[in-house]
């Protein structure tokens, strides 16, 4: 009798362990599916932001308000994509981490271009404080040497114009 009870207890322990393993596996599959869905949604956000950025380029010569709205929509989408990337970077899956880094780099490229265009547009409109705000945001985003040159060129031009303006006001 004792032997039968011990066998029954062992069988129950084995069943409980199998259930725990199945739950853990199901949980891991759900997490993996969520990561894939989040990566897909992030890629979609970046694609939509790129379309908004291009729409802003098309609108800039004719309608600054529309260009401004398009670029701000692009910024909003990219910032959401960057938040998604932060969540993906916490993953343990190597493939997910690689994809997250690629998405982050893609978002940075469009984001810095968006900030640059907004800063440049407001500089042309002589709204220097607003332009500086956007250009400084662009400077904080990782970017390449060519974009760095463009940003610094506009910042330098704004600085020179403000110096001339102040010097003229003081009679120099």
């Amino acid at each position: 009798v004792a032997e039968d009870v011990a066998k029954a207890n062992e069988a129950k322990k084995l069943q409980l362990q199998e259930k725990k393993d199945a739950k853990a596996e199901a949980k891991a599959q759900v997490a993996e599916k969520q990561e894939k869905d989040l990566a897909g949604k992030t890629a979609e956000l970046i694609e939509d932001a790129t379309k908004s950025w291009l729409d802003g380029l098309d609108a800039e010569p004719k309608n600054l308000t529309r260009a401004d709205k398009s670029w701000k929509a692009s910024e909003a989408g990219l910032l959401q994509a960057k938040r998604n990337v932060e969540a993906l970077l916490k993953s343990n899956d190597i493939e997910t981490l690689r994809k997250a880094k690629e998405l982050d780099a893609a978002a940075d490229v469009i984001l810095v271009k968006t900030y640059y265009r907004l800063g440049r547009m407001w500089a042309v409109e002589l709204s220097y404080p607003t332009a500086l705000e956007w250009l400084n945001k662009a400077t904080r985003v990782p970017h390449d040497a060519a974009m760095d040159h463009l940003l610094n060129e506009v910042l330098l031009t704004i600085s020179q114009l403000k110096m001339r303006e102040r010097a003229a006001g003081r009679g120099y």
Side-chain angles (χ1 to χ4, degrees), residues 101-119:
K101 288 178 183 178
E102 288 174 6
L103 291 169
D104 191 39
D108 283 344
V109 168
I110 303 299
L111 189 59
V112 75
K113 286 180 181 181
T114 300
Y115 288 153
Y116 168 74
R117 296 306 285 196
L118 282 162

Side-chain angles (χ1 to χ4, degrees), residues 51-157:
K51 289 176 185 174
S52 291
W53 184 78
L54 291 171
D55 185 48
L57 284 180
D58 293 340
E60 186 183 21
K62 304 171 211 150
N63 187 340
L64 291 181
T65 304
R66 184 171 165 214
D68 184 56
K69 284 181 181 178
S70 293
W71 286 329
K72 286 181 179 176
S74 178
E75 177 201 21
L78 291 166
L79 292 176
Q80 178 61 46
K82 301 262 304 161
R83 284 189 291 274
N84 290 354
V85 165
E86 285 178 21
L88 289 172
L89 287 172
K90 294 176 184 173
S91 172
N92 294 330
D93 183 33
I94 294 172
E95 188 64 28
T96 302
L97 290 172
R98 185 189 60 74
K99 181 73 171 168
K101 288 178 183 178
E102 288 174 6
L103 291 169
D104 191 39
D108 283 344
V109 168
I110 303 299
L111 189 59
V112 75
K113 286 180 181 181
T114 300
Y115 288 153
Y116 168 74
R117 296 306 285 196
L118 282 162
R120 190 190 126 313
M121 179 181 75
W122 289 114
V124 169
E125 293 301 308
L126 305 180
S127 179
Y128 298 129
T130 305
L132 286 173
E133 184 180 321
W134 289 112
L135 293 168
N136 287 338
K137 281 184 178 184
T139 303
R140 286 191 290 268
V141 177
H143 53 275
D144 60 4
M147 184 54 72
D148 194 54
H149 176 74
L150 291 172
L151 290 168
N152 287 322
E153 196 172 283
V154 175
L155 288 169
L156 176 63
T157 303

